[in-house]
Amino acid sequence: MLWVDKYRPKTLDNIIVHQHIAQNLKKLVTEQDCPHLLFYGPPGSGKKTLIMALLRQMFGPTAEKVKVENKTWKVDAGSRTLDIELTTLSSTNHVELNPSDAGFQDRYIVQEIIKEMAKNRPIDTKGKKGFKVLVLNEVDKLSREAQHSLRRTMEKYSAYCRLILCCNSSSKVTEAIRSRCLNVRINAPTEEEIVKVLELIGKKEGLQLPSGFAALIAEKSNRSLRRAILSFETCRVQQYPFTSKQVISSMDWEEYVAEIASDIMKEQSPKRLFQVRGKLYELLVNCIPPEIILKRLLYELLKKLDAELKHEVCHWAAYYEHRMRLGQKAIFHIEAFVAKFMSIYKSFLIATFG
Amino acid sequence: MGKMNNLVVLSSDDEENERSLSSNRSYSKPKSRSLITRSNPNPRGAKKARISNSRSRLSKESSNVNEIGLLFDDFDEVFNGFKVSAGKRERVSGFGGSNANGLWVDKYKPRSLEELAVHKKKVEEVKAWFEERLRSSKDEFGPYVLVITGQAGVGKSATIHVIASHLGARVCEWNTPTPVIWQEHLHNSSAGITYTSKLDEFEIFVERIRKYGLIPSSSAKEPKSSKILLIDDLPMTNGKVAFGRLKKCLHLLVRSTQIPTAILLTDYGEADSADQTARCSEELKLYLESAGACKVAFNPITNNSIKKTLSRICRQERFNVTAEQIDLIANASGGDIRNAITSLQFCCLKPDPLRSLSLCDTTTTYLREKSDEISALDGEFSLKFGRDETLSLFHALGKFLHNKRETENAMALMDQDEFLLRDKFSRLPLKMDAPEKVLCQAHGQARPIADFLHENVLDFLCEEAIDDAWTMASYLSDADMLLATFRGMLTRYNEAENVLQTAAASVAVRGVLFGNSHPSPSRWHAIRRPKLWQVEQSSLCNKTEIVKRRFVGYSGLTLSDLSVVTTEYTPMLKWLGYGTSGGLETHQDLMQDNKTENNFDKMNLDDQQEIETTDDEIEDW
């Protein structure tokens, strides 16, 4: 078992990083009926951990007896019936799913499947009707239409079920949904908090941590706790005992992006642009999200860039990132950014060095 | 119904009276005919038999299918009846001042082998095939099916008919019945006629042919062997299942028929090959061949043959049409003789065709104020007679990518312009039609056009021109944004979608033309198929793989986000040496495969054959 899972706090009481939120959630569930919830925050901040602990708080250990179901749903969409395949994870009291997996058919998932599940209320031992919890992941990736139908579902079935929504950015969730939920923002843990967690894990694993080593990992982790724990474990495999100057290896795709960045810096020509496109394709084939590629690429480029260009380059990165969201094929926009960067950088080089 | 029958009688009366007309009409082939036994040496007999058949339709016991077919015949008769009367009126009023009655296409249908405009060798080939099959006793030769392909109007069916009459054989023809429209269906079903799909009808027909051969008609006096089955038009199929049925059906036909059968398949130009039916016909052709059918491909008819035929018609009609005009018509027809003859007839309708044409030209040239009068004249002529010119997608792409411009800027033109552009933004005039027009001719759809341009455009840039690369990339990104706007809402915003498509294509093409201000020196470039499509495919594959692995984290208690799995768990697990199914390496293998595949798909602008195959693939992706 990975350390991330092994040392994941199982109950709200055990949570260290967002202790305050955890206690509030506990009070909320024990004292009264809980409202719909929307958890949002950067990756690796502990949203899922909180949700799981919350479910356990609500339903006891049965919440952890989950089964995976891969089911094909027949959805009646006006003139024709659609077959939508979707993987769900369910216990007796809750169902978890990723509606955005259905792509542009996510609307039907939200309308039909959630409705279907909301109808089947569980009955507890005392014969009292309980309510079901639906956990929806990546709500920010849902299409606008799907979000609108989600809103209706939330109102119509609020007597039978509670929704727990989880996403990275609340700005991509419609106002209507946000106002119907209790919004819980989960901040990225600070580096000190990460260090604390890492040291705790080190102690439990019986490892010797040289001073500053945990801080090094925390710094590299970009304030993502999951990232930190994962690279901690990798370091353990790579080299033990730790040294304080140990190289924290980054992810392979990040190295690849760095390679692309240095390619771009070395030569600015259509030919090079074409080569860069090939490398970007490689990343896209491996399903690295294009937004993350662009962000990382900008980060790598900025590292090597003259200060006076930074502002302009950031502007164009933001510009093309926005268009990428509006557009359909990410490569068009990433490439436009790369071309723009090359063009800026080349004229800069000519101006400076002649 | 009674009314209808009356009309039928009327039309047949016409036939009795006007001999010339009836001979015309018996040559014409109404499209809705289901199965007609037609004997060429004596067309009228067969015709009469059929009409009497339709008269006694109600009393006669026949199968449902036949009934429907005959019903259509009735419709057809009515239609023809109208046509005839219209023709009569025209003649009375003396319109056109000629003894032209009916369409020349029918009137001058070839009656002998000499009159055929098709190349001698092809005719000979087909004739030899039929002779062999007709003469020999059974089982001596292989399959009894001949597939004739060729674009529209190259004389496929005419050849069969002429050869049949030459050999003294009777042609039995299957034409796909006209589709039943909804209102008609409602009407029929209230009358108790059940609907059968056209494919079903065809299947039944083939079944019957296979089992019993052709049903001998009442007027059959020829030896039994001299019959030819002509399948002119295969039923439309929609979807894989129906197509599969058609294929199976044809396979059985090829394997077991004992009658010499000719199947005519119309080729569509590569410009139309985005069309579903065209792809099907391509596939069918290959399939039939693999099933053992003989194949003869008819080429477009040569200009000389068309000219010969046209001047023959002119002589017979006693029209003075200049050789120049015939030349133009022949050129514009693109090897389609039916089109050429109709154009000729149209041209001859006018009292003085030449003068009116030139008049027309001067007005338009006046309006356009074009200096280049000769080219304008040419353009007008070709528009008048010809079918619209079509370009292949790759031809159009080549035009856009090579970005040919005039070398000298016509300063005179610039002066007339209202505003002057900065040097940075002005470009030399294009050496082609407006990009939108080229797009239109190429039947280009915005998405593939944008993808192809994106894939190939960098090859056409000069080494130093990174600014240009950015301009083009930026325009392409604009186009992509336009294309994405109504994604997934196609049905509701159909109109808007169309406008957007056009706009996006225009932005992409013009952006590429404008941006490429320093084209690389002209040399041979292969146009590649967008790699993006493969990338999308394999990334979709990988995504489904990854979806299965999303239980990696959280010890399977909850689902992880896809981005987290790809960016964090997968690389990490690889580091840790966990046996994950498919790390980066396997995906790279996938890319390698695609690369090799790509090499096969490299296309040449001049190579039509390859272009066709890739065109097909555009649809597949």
Side-chain angles (χ1 to χ4, degrees):
Chain A
M1 194 191 269
L2 291 172
W3 288 356
V4 227
D5 297 323
K6 199 169 166 188
Y7 298 105
R8 186 188 303 283
K10 292 277 184 316
T11 58
L12 288 174
D13 296 317
N14 289 349
I15 282 174
I16 325 169
V17 176
H18 296 288
Q19 227 165 16
H20 188 61
I21 296 174
Q23 289 312 313
N24 277 346
L25 282 174
K26 191 181 174 186
K27 263 185 248 163
L28 186 78
V29 195
T30 43
E31 279 174 16
Q32 59 200 20
D33 193 14
C34 91
H36 297 307
L37 292 169
L38 171 65
F39 287 84
Y40 63 98
S45 56
K47 301 180 291 293
K48 282 283 173 56
T49 310
L50 273 170
I51 291 172
M52 279 162 63
L54 183 70
L55 285 173
R56 199 190 150 99
Q57 184 72 44
M58 288 159 110
F59 303 116
T62 51
E64 280 170 18
K65 281 178 194 143
V66 291
K67 61 175 192 289
V68 180
E69 264 180 304
N70 205 346
K71 201 168 158 189
T72 311
W73 297 81
K74 284 205 189 311
V75 179
D76 185 33
S79 53
R80 67 226 152 95
T81 42
L82 297 171
D83 286 340
I84 301 174
E85 208 175 301
L86 196 75
T87 313
T88 56
L89 204 78
S90 55
S91 74
T92 41
N93 293 303
H94 88 280
V95 180
E96 182 179 347
L97 66 156
N98 264 31
S100 57
D101 279 358
F104 62 92
Q105 289 168 332
D106 53 2
R107 181 160 56 108
Y108 302 116
I109 294 282
V110 170
Q111 280 174 344
E112 297 296 324
I113 298 176
I114 295 178
K115 212 192 286 177
E116 184 64 34
M117 282 195 267
K119 274 185 204 158
N120 302 326
R121 298 175 67 179
I123 298 172
D124 67 2
T125 42
K126 290 161 203 156
K128 206 174 72 181
K129 279 184 177 177
F131 58 81
K132 208 157 188 174
V133 171
L134 281 177
V135 181
L136 303 185
N137 292 321
E138 294 175 276
V139 192
D140 48 354
K141 293 222 180 90
L142 285 181
S143 69
R144 188 159 298 178
E145 283 179 322
Q147 294 199 20
H148 280 302
S149 30
L150 182 61
R151 194 197 90 180
R152 274 199 299 281
T153 318
M154 278 166 104
E155 278 177 348
K156 203 168 170 192
Y157 300 100
S158 63
Y160 318 114
C161 79
R162 292 287 170 275
L163 292 179
I164 297 180
L165 310 177
C166 180
C167 64
N168 283 341
S169 157
S170 71
S171 64
K172 280 170 208 132
V173 181
T174 58
E175 202 61 58
I177 291 180
R178 270 188 280 162
S179 85
R180 281 169 179 76
C181 294
L182 174 69
N183 293 11
V184 186
R185 175 171 168 92
I186 315 289
N187 287 323
T190 59
E191 280 179 23
E192 292 81 60
E193 282 173 320
I194 292 176
V195 169
K196 218 166 86 186
V197 173
L198 290 181
E199 274 167 355
L200 188 80
I201 291 173
K203 208 168 82 191
K204 283 194 181 160
E205 285 284 320
L207 301 172
Q208 291 290 321
L209 283 180
S211 66
F213 181 69
L216 197 69
I217 292 178
E219 189 197 322
K220 270 269 190 179
S221 71
N222 207 14
R223 287 182 69 192
S224 158
L225 189 57
R226 173 178 44 232
R227 209 32 214 288
I229 299 173
L230 281 172
S231 46
F232 186 40
E233 193 175 353
T234 334
C235 289
R236 164 78 180 80
V237 174
Q238 278 173 334
Q239 185 185 358
Y240 186 79
F242 300 120
T243 57
S244 51
K245 278 174 194 158
Q246 190 169 342
V247 183
I248 316 282
S249 59
S250 48
M251 305 286 172
D252 51 0
W253 65 270
E254 287 175 342
E255 277 162 20
Y256 204 65
V257 173
E259 200 182 308
I260 294 175
S262 61
D263 278 356
I264 295 172
M265 300 296 280
K266 259 183 235 152
E267 188 192 326
Q268 296 84 33
S269 71
K271 210 174 176 181
R272 183 49 64 93
L273 185 60
F274 186 72
Q275 288 162 3
V276 167
R277 180 201 290 172
K279 291 191 173 177
L280 289 173
Y281 276 153
E282 206 110 316
L283 287 171
L284 289 174
V285 162
N286 286 297
C287 299
I288 312 286
E291 305 86 35
I292 293 179
I293 297 177
L294 185 61
K295 199 168 155 189
R296 187 75 201 179
L297 187 61
L298 176 70
Y299 171 77
E300 294 288 347
L301 289 172
L302 286 180
K303 272 205 286 197
K304 304 171 181 174
L305 209 58
D306 209 85
E308 59 180 293
L309 288 182
K310 281 186 178 170
H311 175 76
E312 197 182 354
V313 169
C314 284
H315 163 77
W316 285 107
Y319 178 78
Y320 284 112
E321 204 260 359
H322 177 61
R323 300 179 131 235
M324 191 158 71
R325 306 245 181 215
L326 295 177
Q328 203 171 4
K329 305 207 171 178
I331 187 74
F332 280 62
H333 309 283
I334 300 181
E335 199 182 303
F337 167 69
V338 173
K340 183 68 194 174
F341 177 85
M342 281 182 171
S343 154
I344 292 172
Y345 191 66
K346 195 179 179 189
S347 55
F348 167 76
L349 286 181
I350 290 170
T352 337
F353 306 109
Chain B
M1 278 294 161
K3 217 175 182 181
M4 214 175 269
N5 274 339
N6 276 343
L7 273 169
V8 172
V9 172
L10 196 120
S11 88
S12 66
D13 281 349
D14 277 350
E15 203 169 60
E16 302 293 340
N17 295 337
E18 293 162 88
R19 222 197 105 54
S20 60
L21 261 180
S22 76
S23 70
N24 262 344
R25 286 191 44 235
S26 62
Y27 274 108
S28 79
K29 29 167 216 186
K31 287 212 175 67
S32 57
R33 206 168 296 167
S34 174
L35 168 65
I36 305 153
T37 316
R38 183 198 297 181
S39 80
N40 266 13
N42 182 15
R44 292 193 59 215
K47 191 81 181 174
K48 267 173 103 176
R50 199 163 59 81
I51 286 161
S52 65
N53 195 5
S54 69
R55 264 186 199 152
S56 58
R57 180 173 49 83
L58 291 172
S59 59
K60 206 173 166 186
E61 282 295 318
S62 60
S63 78
N64 234 351
V65 182
N66 274 343
E67 186 115 4
I68 291 172
L70 289 169
L71 193 70
F72 284 133
D73 281 354
D74 280 357
F75 275 125
D76 197 57
E77 296 287 1
V78 174
F79 183 65
N80 270 359
F82 279 130
K83 227 165 57 182
V84 167
S85 62
K88 229 159 101 184
R89 210 176 303 134
E90 201 174 288
R91 211 153 54 123
V92 169
S93 61
F95 223 44
S98 71
N99 55 352
N101 36 29
L103 292 172
W104 288 4
V105 184
D106 298 330
K107 195 172 168 189
Y108 296 101
K109 198 146 193 148
R111 304 215 178 130
S112 63
L113 289 174
E114 288 74 40
E115 281 182 32
L116 269 179
V118 185
H119 197 273
K120 289 257 152 46
K121 266 187 190 159
K122 294 280 179 191
V123 178
E124 209 49 50
E125 202 179 324
V126 177
K127 202 178 101 189
W129 189 88
F130 274 116
E131 267 174 348
E132 273 172 359
R133 296 298 184 283
L134 286 174
R135 224 189 297 126
S136 68
S137 55
K138 269 162 201 168
D139 297 331
E140 207 165 295
F141 285 99
Y144 273 76
V145 174
L146 176 72
V147 180
I148 300 182
T149 62
Q151 67 173 59
V154 293
K156 298 184 291 290
S157 17
T159 308
I160 299 289
H161 283 302
V162 169
I163 287 176
S165 76
H166 181 81
L167 297 176
R170 212 147 44 79
V171 176
C172 293
E173 196 175 330
W174 161 271
N175 270 334
T176 304
T178 42
V180 179
I181 55 171
W182 180 242
Q183 275 89 351
E184 203 179 324
H185 171 66
L186 289 181
H187 181 80
N188 284 348
S189 55
S190 69
I193 302 167
T194 48
Y195 172 79
T196 31
S197 89
K198 302 304 164 212
L199 187 57
D200 287 340
E201 281 178 36
F202 185 69
E203 270 183 343
I204 292 165
F205 165 74
V206 167
E207 190 73 7
R208 211 168 51 207
I209 291 293
R210 281 177 50 227
K211 285 196 180 136
Y212 314 115
L214 286 170
I215 305 150
S217 83
S218 53
S219 63
K221 277 168 199 148
E222 311 89 12
K224 245 189 161 186
S225 61
S226 58
K227 267 180 281 186
I228 291 174
L229 178 64
L230 174 62
I231 298 176
D232 198 338
D233 201 2
L234 293 171
M236 284 283 286
T237 50
N238 211 348
K240 281 221 169 93
V241 183
F243 189 62
R245 272 174 63 198
L246 179 64
K247 263 165 64 169
K248 202 176 138 219
C249 181
L250 286 172
H251 185 81
L252 286 174
L253 182 72
V254 171
R255 279 293 151 87
S256 57
T257 184
Q258 297 294 329
I259 309 156
T261 305
I263 299 175
L264 307 185
L265 286 176
T266 306
D267 281 342
Y268 297 89
E270 67 269 17
D272 299 328
S273 63
D275 197 16
Q276 175 77 19
T277 46
R279 278 178 52 218
C280 282
S281 86
E282 194 70 20
E283 207 180 322
L284 268 184
K285 204 196 296 176
L286 292 174
Y287 182 77
L288 281 170
E289 264 183 278
S290 71
C294 280
K295 191 193 132 187
V296 176
F298 277 28
N299 295 325
I301 295 176
T302 55
N303 271 358
N304 278 337
S305 308
I306 292 184
K307 272 190 255 176
K308 227 193 285 169
T309 313
L310 292 184
S311 30
R312 180 169 58 86
I313 292 172
C314 286
R315 267 202 311 281
Q316 284 180 2
E317 288 286 332
R318 292 197 200 84
F319 262 116
N320 271 329
V321 183
T322 57
E324 214 174 28
Q325 268 177 309
I326 286 182
D327 215 36
L328 273 172
I329 294 172
N331 275 332
S333 69
D336 178 349
I337 193 151
R338 192 182 303 145
N339 185 282
I341 295 176
T342 319
S343 303
L344 182 72
Q345 189 178 12
F346 175 68
C347 173
C348 292
L349 271 181
K350 299 199 172 160
D352 190 350
L354 204 68
R355 208 184 63 197
S356 69
L357 276 173
S358 55
L359 201 87
C360 204
D361 281 337
T362 45
T363 49
T364 45
T365 44
Y366 174 73
L367 281 172
R368 286 191 190 172
E369 289 186 337
K370 270 212 170 174
S371 55
D372 202 356
E373 237 171 291
I374 301 155
S375 73
L377 210 79
D378 273 354
E380 286 305 313
F381 263 120
S382 66
L383 280 181
K384 251 209 178 100
F385 302 121
R387 322 193 295 178
D388 278 350
E389 276 179 84
T390 51
L391 287 171
S392 74
L393 177 64
F394 289 86
H395 193 164
L397 283 171
K399 279 188 173 207
F400 299 142
L401 291 169
H402 280 291
N403 197 10
K404 292 249 165 64
R405 289 173 187 271
E406 309 288 347
T407 39
E408 281 295 311
N409 198 351
M411 282 309 289
L413 240 155
M414 286 291 287
D415 288 336
Q416 284 173 356
D417 276 354
E418 295 274 315
F419 53 90
L420 280 168
L421 289 169
R422 265 197 258 168
D423 275 356
K424 201 168 76 172
F425 297 120
S426 70
R427 298 278 187 276
L428 294 167
L430 285 171
K431 251 192 199 168
M432 62 169 118
D433 291 326
E436 286 76 18
K437 197 175 163 197
V438 177
L439 269 180
C440 201
Q441 284 174 341
H443 300 271
Q445 283 169 317
R447 189 80 255 181
I449 291 260
D451 289 351
F452 267 104
L453 289 176
H454 171 252
E455 173 69 35
N456 291 294
V457 82
L458 290 177
D459 293 351
F460 293 82
L461 278 176
C462 129
E463 261 314 284
E464 296 299 303
I466 191 66
D467 293 345
D468 288 356
W470 168 67
T471 321
M472 287 189 305
S474 180
Y475 278 117
L476 286 174
S477 123
D478 286 340
D480 177 60
M481 227 170 71
L482 285 172
L483 282 171
T485 310
F486 284 118
R487 186 176 26 153
M489 298 189 234
L490 282 169
T491 43
R492 215 180 304 163
Y493 302 104
N494 224 343
E495 262 326 282
E497 177 78 21
N498 269 339
V499 175
L500 269 179
Q501 289 266 337
T502 335
S506 186
V507 165
V509 168
R510 280 189 183 272
V512 164
L513 287 171
F514 171 77
N516 193 0
S517 59
H518 305 92
S520 67
S522 179
R523 63 185 169 92
W524 184 83
H525 288 285
I527 291 190
R528 289 182 303 269
R529 188 172 75 175
K531 198 176 156 197
L532 179 58
W533 295 344
Q534 277 150 9
V535 169
E536 277 171 350
Q537 281 278 305
S538 34
S539 99
L540 210 69
C541 278
N542 286 345
K543 198 180 157 194
T544 46
E545 261 314 292
I546 288 165
V547 166
K548 285 178 203 149
R549 276 188 284 141
R550 63 169 9 143
F551 308 104
V552 161
Y554 305 100
S555 49
L557 281 180
T558 177
L559 303 160
S560 324
D561 291 358
L562 272 190
S563 60
V564 173
V565 176
T566 50
T567 56
E568 293 180 26
Y569 283 117
T570 314
M572 197 54 74
L573 288 173
K574 219 177 72 191
W575 270 116
L576 295 175
Y578 278 66
T580 50
S581 55
L584 204 64
E585 285 118 50
T586 52
H587 301 322
Q588 267 159 2
D589 284 350
L590 206 64
M591 287 290 288
Q592 282 299 321
D593 287 348
N594 286 335
K595 270 175 202 156
T596 49
E597 195 182 307
N598 218 7
N599 288 334
F600 289 120
D601 288 325
K602 274 209 175 150
M603 289 152 295
N604 184 338
L605 267 173
D606 307 316
D607 199 340
Q608 297 284 326
Q609 198 57 44
E610 285 190 26
I611 284 166
E612 265 174 32
T613 58
T614 40
D615 253 3
D616 289 350
E617 274 149 2
I618 293 175
E619 283 296 301
D620 286 342
W621 288 88

